[in-house]
Amino acid sequence: MIPYGRQDISQEDIDAVVAVLKSDFLTQGPLVAEFESNLSAHIGADHAVAVNSATSALHIACLALGLGPGDTLWTSPITFVASANAALYCGADVDFVDIDPETFNMCPIALAEKLEAAERDGKLPKIVVPVALCGQSCDMKSIKKLSEKYGFRILEDASHAIGARYAGSYVGSGEFSDISVFSFHPVKIITTAEGGVATTNDPILAQKMRLLRSHGVTRDPSLMNREPDGPWYYQQVELGFNYRMTELQAALGVSQMKRLDRFVERRAKHARNYDEALADLPLELPKQSPETASSWHLYVIRVLDSKHHKELFESLRSRGIGVNLHYIPVHTQPYYQKLGFQKGSFPQAEDYYARAMSIPLYAQMKVEDQKSVIDAIQELV
Ligand SMILES: *Cc1c(COP(=O)(O)O)cnc(C)c1O
């Protein structure tokens, strides 16, 4: 099976991880800080807080932004469930904003309309979570303008988008968001096996997230409510978690970062090959907005008529092409249906789900493998 995504592990990556195993620190050593400073330098954000997953990063980002019971977070229905679950972890409510059918990202017009209605009802969201689906940034300029008008905070779920650019800077640089979150799961652009990071330009948000990832415990006297009892002293000042990244993961991350630009270039090249080879088929190919340069985590094709969707998906799978579907609209999940969400409420998201599939795309995809994918699609569509 040609998978829809796959990690690229070099001998240098392996050596970096093995070196950690032979060193003094398996966790809480120097490599997490090194990985963080490499990330913040590359992305152009002041602070990077590395954690054990993007899900954890979303959770502590919501807490740092003050999300709690009585508050609401809005996100896109076409995302991994973690973007929405983060609000529920904080005891807050979730709602969704329908997608733009061209980019599959949160639609700024739908967002504006929903905000207008929410203001009338006194139910404005505290946080909006735009998701850079497939690695393409959302229309962050419009979302930022709306945040200035309505006073919500922006937590960008950029899990797909490390190395992607928007309006001249890297996604996560903080120009258009309070916090941005990236994932290092093996199918994503670079990997630490499990892992994630939150970037921000706000030193107070960064400090809160650092506390929350490690039990809410500090050894920094400036954060304590009194003089330390002695050099052994630490204080718990918040209710935090153990969301720390290990040194093994950070070593892999530092090593992978060196190839980030190359990974994104190769993904973009594979995407251009698909654009050309599939252009004349009765399919909708992914459209790119002018100010974005995607990291190409996913390449999503859509059949024109939903009645051919399942058949094409099954035929490709039976030929060893590992297509996948990102994502099932979150509001249609049984857990969210129990919370009161109804099918039919986000028609663009549901139309996307009825016609979309992700075809294989990863940095070291072989020319022959891409050719098999293209041949199979050309023959079946
Ligand atoms: C992968 C992903 C996550 C979760 O990332 P983990 O690192 O696996 O926790 C969250 N949101 C989106 C959009 C993702 O693709």
Side-chain angles (χ1 to χ4, degrees):
M1 184 77 79
I2 302 172
Y4 85 85
R6 194 184 193 303
Q7 69 274 18
D8 178 310
I9 300 295
S10 67
Q11 188 59 46
E12 207 182 317
D13 293 339
I14 294 166
D15 294 344
V17 174
V18 171
V20 172
L21 285 168
K22 296 176 177 169
S23 79
D24 291 337
F25 295 102
L26 300 186
T27 187
Q28 294 178 285
L31 283 164
V32 169
E34 184 179 333
F35 185 37
E36 289 176 338
S37 69
N38 292 355
L39 284 163
S40 54
H42 187 275
I43 291 167
D46 290 346
H47 307 278
V49 180
V51 287
N52 58 359
S53 71
T55 304
S56 302
L58 287 164
H59 183 195
I60 60 173
C62 285
L63 290 172
L65 292 167
L67 193 75
D71 296 328
T72 307
L73 174 151
W74 290 1
T75 189
S76 167
I78 299 297
T79 185
F80 186 54
V81 291
S83 322
N85 289 346
L88 304 181
Y89 296 159
C90 302
D93 295 326
V94 178
D95 204 352
F96 301 95
V97 179
D98 210 352
I99 60 166
D100 171 329
E102 304 261 289
T103 62
F104 325 142
N105 280 334
M106 179 182 283
C107 173
I109 298 163
L111 176 61
E113 286 169 3
K114 197 172 171 106
L115 286 163
E116 216 178 295
E119 189 178 44
R120 278 198 303 273
D121 303 342
K123 285 186 169 168
L124 284 169
K126 184 161 207 163
I127 300 178
V128 171
V129 179
V131 181
L133 201 79
C134 306
Q136 178 175 213
S137 175
C138 295
D139 177 353
M140 298 304 287
K141 286 185 180 172
S142 301
I143 296 171
K144 171 107 188 203
K145 257 197 212 130
L146 290 167
S147 84
E148 283 156 5
K149 180 166 178 198
Y150 292 99
F152 58 82
R153 310 298 295 271
I154 302 173
L155 167 54
E156 187 177 27
D157 185 343
S159 289
H160 299 181
I162 194 155
R165 279 168 289 143
Y166 174 73
S169 31
Y170 279 107
V171 168
S173 70
E175 202 179 331
F176 300 100
S177 64
D178 294 287
I179 301 176
S180 299
V181 162
F182 300 89
S183 171
F184 306 127
H185 182 279
V187 295
K188 308 284 163 74
I189 313 292
I190 59 167
T191 190
T192 60
E194 297 281 0
V197 69
T199 61
T200 182
N201 290 334
D202 182 332
I204 299 187
L205 291 176
Q207 189 185 75
K208 279 190 187 157
M209 292 192 287
R210 283 184 203 289
L211 263 178
L212 290 167
R213 80 168 160 192
S214 195
H215 308 281
V217 161
T218 184
R219 289 180 182 276
D220 177 353
S222 72
L223 300 178
M224 296 177 185
N225 69 349
R226 63 181 170 86
E227 287 298 303
D229 293 346
W232 61 85
Y233 194 64
Y234 58 86
Q235 266 192 356
Q236 184 187 342
V237 296
E238 294 273 356
L239 181 61
F241 309 87
N242 183 349
Y243 284 169
R244 289 188 303 255
M245 175 176 275
T246 66
E247 289 286 286
L248 298 155
Q249 291 167 310
L252 183 52
V254 167
S255 184
Q256 289 258 310
M257 270 297 282
K258 295 178 189 161
R259 308 206 295 294
L260 171 59
D261 291 340
R262 210 180 323 154
F263 288 164
V264 173
E265 270 165 39
R266 298 201 58 173
R267 284 173 175 275
K269 184 164 182 299
H270 299 324
R272 282 196 301 274
N273 291 344
Y274 280 141
D275 283 344
E276 281 165 26
L278 307 177
D280 297 329
L281 298 178
L283 282 176
E284 285 175 14
L285 303 183
K287 295 199 178 69
Q288 303 300 300
S289 322
E291 294 211 86
T292 63
S294 181
S295 56
W296 289 106
H297 167 52
L298 299 172
Y299 192 95
V300 172
I301 61 172
R302 285 178 300 169
V303 296
L304 300 184
D305 187 333
S306 61
K307 71 172 189 275
H308 304 306
H309 185 230
K310 197 170 185 182
E311 185 191 332
L312 179 63
F313 193 100
E314 284 170 344
S315 310
L316 286 168
R317 278 270 180 99
S318 72
R319 288 178 190 217
I321 314 290
V323 284
N324 224 304
L325 209 171
H326 303 91
Y327 294 92
I328 300 165
V330 180
H331 69 283
T332 68
Q333 292 289 355
Y335 189 87
Y336 281 83
Q337 298 267 296
K338 266 193 269 166
L339 296 178
F341 290 98
Q342 315 232 319
K343 279 195 183 135
S345 345
F346 303 100
Q348 294 296 348
E350 290 169 43
D351 174 64
Y352 167 92
Y353 175 59
R355 299 193 292 116
M357 67 188 77
S358 312
I359 63 176
L361 178 64
Y362 43 94
Q364 89 293 20
M365 190 175 191
K366 292 198 184 78
V367 178
E368 332 56 290
D369 286 342
Q370 189 170 34
K371 192 167 180 307
S372 319
V373 176
I374 290 166
D375 289 348
I377 295 172
Q378 282 175 337
E379 198 187 311
L380 291 163
V381 170

